Amino acid sequence: MSSRLLASPEFGKRPPVRFVQLGRLAFRVNIRVLLLIGISALALVALAAWALTLGSFRLPLADVLGALTGSGTDDANFIVLDLRLPRVLVALMIGPMLAMSGAIFQGLVRNPLVSPDIIGINAGAALFAVFWIVTGRSLQWLPIVAFIGAVVAAMSIYILSWQGNISAARLILVGIGMNAVFSAGTSLLIIRADINDASRAVLWQAGSVYASTWSDVRVLLTTLIILVPSGIGLMWALRVVQLGDMTARSVGMPLERTRLALILVGCGFSAVAVSIAGPIGFVALMIPHLARMIAGPIGGGVLVFAGILGALLVLGSDMIGQHALPVTLPVGVITAALGAPYFLFLLYRMNTQL
Amino acid sequence: MAVAETDARSAWLGAMPRVTKMAALLLLTGLLLVMCLVSLRVGSIGITNDDALNAIFDYSPESYEQTVVRSLRLPRTVIGMGVGAALAVAGAAMQAATRNPLAGPSILGVNSGAAFGVVTAVFFAQITDPLYFVWFAFAGGLATSALVYGIGSVGPGGASPVKLALAGVIVSALLGSWLTALLLLDQQTLDVVRFWLVGSLAGRDLDVFYNVLPFFAIGIVGTMLIGHQLNILSMGEDTARSLGMQTGRMRLLVAVLVVLLAGASVAVAGPIGFVGLAVPHMVRSLSGPDYRWVLAYSLVVGPLLLLSADVAGRIVAKPSEVQVGIITAVVGAPFLIAIARRRRIAEL
C-alpha cells in the first residue's frame, strides 16, 4: 500500500508550480495543468465549430462564423442560431457538469469507481423528475425537483451505508441497491402514467441532447455560474478530506459541514444535468479519472481540465451519434459504449483494493 | 467478534431439529398452495373459489369466469411457479459456488445477457417466435456471466463480491444501452420484444413454458442432487480440494445448471431481478447454512415470493397492473442493502 502511494504522482514528483501575485492575492499556478487546459479548450472550440457545420444541410465554416457574428444570411442564421447552437451549447455544458459531479463524489469516497450514475444519485434525480413530468406540472421547476431528488438519494445512500464510518465498498453496494429501487419506481411511474406524459418521460430518459432549446442553455448556464466557483472553492477542502477523517479533523476542518457542502454541490451538478438531458451515463465516472491520470491529483485547475474533457466527450459522442453512424443514436448510448470498457479497465487496474 | 456471532447463530440454527425444519417446509408449501389459489382469484375480475377450482378440475367453457381463469390466470400462475423456483434455486447454487452472498442471476448479468441475446436474435435473424427465444437467452446468459465473472475475478484479489457486483452492473448497463440502440434502430424488433422485455408473468405463452420445461426440470433436479457438493464447495477452494473434490469441474457443472435455469426463466418471463439474490437469504434463517435445506426451501419460497409479488402488482394498480419485475426490485433491492450493512465487507 505505502509503496503504491509513494509511486503515485501525488508523491512522486513535484508539479511545476509557479506563484503569481495579484495585489493582495497570491495564486499557485501549475503550468502543466494550465497548458493542458489551454490545449483542450482549443480542441473544444474547434470541435464545436465543426459540430455547427455538420447536419443534413452542410454549412461552410465561413457561413457559421457569419451567423455567429451577426452578418450571416437568414437561412444560415436560422440553422446555426436556432437549431444547432443550443444543442452544441447544451452538450458543452452537460459534459463539465457530469464530470465535476463525478470528481467530487469520487474524491469524497476516495474511490474512482464511485460516480453518481452508479450509486443511484442520478436515478434519484430521475425518479423525482419523472414524477414531476407525469403529474403534468410546470417543467420550469424540473431542475429544482431533480436536485431535491438527487439530494434525497445522496442522503439516504449516505445514511444507509453509515456504520461509524463510510466504507467505499459498502457505499457502492448500498448505492447499487438504491439505484435498483429508484429505477423500479421510475418504471412504475412511466407505466402508470397517461400515455402522452409517459412518452415525454421515456424520451427524456433515453439521455439525449436532441431538441435542446435556448431556455435549457439558460438553466445550465445559471447553474454553472453558481456552482463552478463553489466547486473550485471547495477543492482544497476536498483534498483535505481525502487525507482521512483524523487528519482532516486535526487540521481544524469542520468535517461534516464540509462533506455536506461537497455533496450538495455534487448533487447540484448531476441533478441539473440530468434534468435537462436525462441520465447520460459514464461521463461522471470516466472523465475525472482520465483527468487525474493526465494532469495529476484533483484540484481547482484539474477540475477545470476535467470539465473541458467532459465537454469534449459529450459533444464528441453526440456528434458520433448524430452524424458518424448510418442511424442517429442518443448521446447516452455512445457514452455508455465508450465508458463501459473504460470502467472495466479501471476495475481491472484497481482490483486489489475492493 | 462478528465471526463468533455468526458461529453462534449457525450453531443454533444447525441445532434446529430436522422435524421442525420439515414442518416449516410443509407449512410454506401449504402457504404456496394458498397463494396459487389467491393468484387465480385476484385481478381485474374477481373470481370465486368455486370458479377457480372448477376451472381446473371441472372446466365448463360456457362460464366466463372459468374461461378467464383457464386462459389468463392459470398460465401466469404456472409460469410464476416455474420461474420463481428456477430463479431461487439458481441464486442459491450461485451463492454456494462463488461463496458470495451477493451472487444471483441478475447481479451476475445473466438476465441482461439473456435479454440482449434474444433482442439481437430478433434484430439480426428476424426471429419472431418466442419458442426460439430460449436458445438465444442461453447463449447470451452464458456469455455474459462468463464475461462478468472473468472481469470480476482477474487479479490477486480474486472474485470479491463488490467487484463482481460492479462488473455485473456495468456490463448490464453496457448491454442495456446497446439494447436501446437496437430498439431505436428498428421499430419492428421493438414491437416483437416490447412485451417480453418487461419482466412480467402477464400475457405469457404456455407453449413457451412447456418448451423450456425440460430445462427447468433438468436444472432444478440437477441442482437439488448436488446439494451436498455445494456444501463442500461453499467451504472454500482449499477445503473442497482436500476433501477430494475437483472444484473446477464442479463449478462448471453449477454454471451450466444456473444458466439453464436463469436462461429458461428469462426466455419465458423476461428479465426479473432480485428473486435469485433475495430468496436464499430469506430462507437461511429457517433452513440454516446447509445447502440441501437451503435449496429445498428456495424451491418453495421462490414461487411463493414471485406469486405474491405478482398478486401485489395486480392489487396496487387495480384495474391495471404493475409488472412483477418492478415489485421484485422494490422488495429485493433492500436485501442487497441489508447484506451490505450486516457483514463486514471483508467477510462478504
Side-chain angles (χ1 to χ4, degrees), chain A residues 98-322:
Chain A
L98 292 171
M100 290 183 189
S101 162
I104 289 173
F105 282 110
Q106 292 176 11
L108 264 177
V109 192
R110 286 191 284 170
N111 188 315
L113 297 178
V114 175
S115 82
D117 40 353
I118 289 183
I119 62 169
I121 288 170
N122 287 3
L127 175 64
F128 275 55
V130 166
F131 173 76
W132 202 253
I133 294 175
V134 298
T135 46
R137 286 161 214 267
S138 156
L139 291 186
Q140 184 186 349
W141 297 104
L142 201 59
I144 309 278
V145 174
F147 173 65
I148 296 171
V151 172
V152 169
M155 288 303 155
S156 43
I157 294 159
Y158 198 83
I159 291 168
L160 281 173
S161 38
W162 177 267
Q163 275 181 345
N165 63 344
I166 288 288
S167 111
R170 199 185 310 123
L171 186 105
I172 291 171
L173 292 179
V174 169
I176 289 174
M178 291 305 280
N179 199 0
V181 174
F182 291 135
S183 312
T186 308
S187 326
L188 180 62
L189 285 176
I190 288 178
I191 286 166
R192 300 281 296 140
D194 177 70
I195 183 67
N196 290 325
D197 293 333
S199 56
R200 252 197 312 172
V202 169
L203 189 68
W204 172 84
Q205 230 196 349
S208 105
V209 292
Y210 167 77
S212 300
T213 61
W214 280 105
S215 77
D216 295 340
V217 175
R218 270 194 296 277
V219 171
L220 289 174
L221 196 61
T222 320
T223 318
L224 277 177
I225 288 171
I226 299 170
L227 288 182
V228 167
S230 3
I232 293 177
L234 280 169
M235 273 305 117
W236 68 272
L238 185 65
R239 294 191 70 172
V240 178
V241 169
Q242 284 182 326
L243 295 175
D245 289 8
M246 301 280 260
T247 318
R249 279 221 184 82
S250 67
V251 299
M253 154 116 17
L255 198 54
E256 296 309 322
R257 237 185 304 159
T258 313
R259 276 214 188 102
L260 184 69
L262 281 164
I263 289 176
L264 285 180
V265 172
C267 283
F269 274 130
S270 71
V272 177
V274 167
S275 79
I276 298 292
I280 296 177
F282 291 99
V283 181
L285 184 103
M286 182 161 55
I287 293 299
H289 188 263
L290 202 60
R292 276 197 306 267
M293 216 157 71
I294 299 173
I298 205 87
V302 180
L303 191 71
V304 173
F305 178 59
I308 298 175
L309 280 186
L312 276 171
L313 175 67
V314 173
L315 182 60
S317 301
D318 189 41
M319 288 167 70
I320 294 173
Q322 205 185 355

Side-chain angles (χ1 to χ4, degrees), chain B residues 31-43:
Chain B
L31 215 57
L32 176 60
L33 288 177
V34 173
M35 191 43 82
C36 287
L37 189 62
V38 173
S39 167
L40 292 177
R41 289 187 53 184
V42 173

Side-chain angles (χ1 to χ4, degrees), chain B residues 134-135 138 211-220 257 260-261 264:
Chain B
V134 61
W135 300 109
F138 284 153
N211 202 32
V212 300
L213 200 54
F215 301 117
F216 276 145
I218 295 170
I220 289 175
L257 290 172
L260 278 184
L261 288 169

Side-chain angles (χ1 to χ4, degrees), chain A residues 113 118 160 162-163 169-170 172-173 176-178 180-181 184 188 191-192 327 330 333 336 340 343-344 348 351-352 354, chain B residues 102 151 154-156 160 162-163 166 169-170 174 177-178 181 184-185 274 317 322-323 326 333 336-337 340-341 345 348:
Chain A
L113 297 178
I118 289 183
L160 281 173
W162 177 267
Q163 275 181 345
R170 199 185 310 123
I172 291 171
L173 292 179
I176 289 174
M178 291 305 280
V181 174
L188 180 62
I191 286 166
R192 300 281 296 140
V327 286
V333 173
F343 177 88
L344 297 174
Y348 168 75
N351 54 34
T352 47
L354 272 179
Chain B
L102 291 180
I151 293 163
V154 279
S160 88
V162 181
K163 270 159 58 189
L166 271 173
V169 167
I170 293 304
L174 180 63
S177 85
W178 286 348
L184 284 172
L185 293 187
F274 288 103
V322 179
Q323 275 74 11
I326 292 175
L336 179 63
I337 296 170
R341 280 183 65 80
I345 296 299
L348 276 180

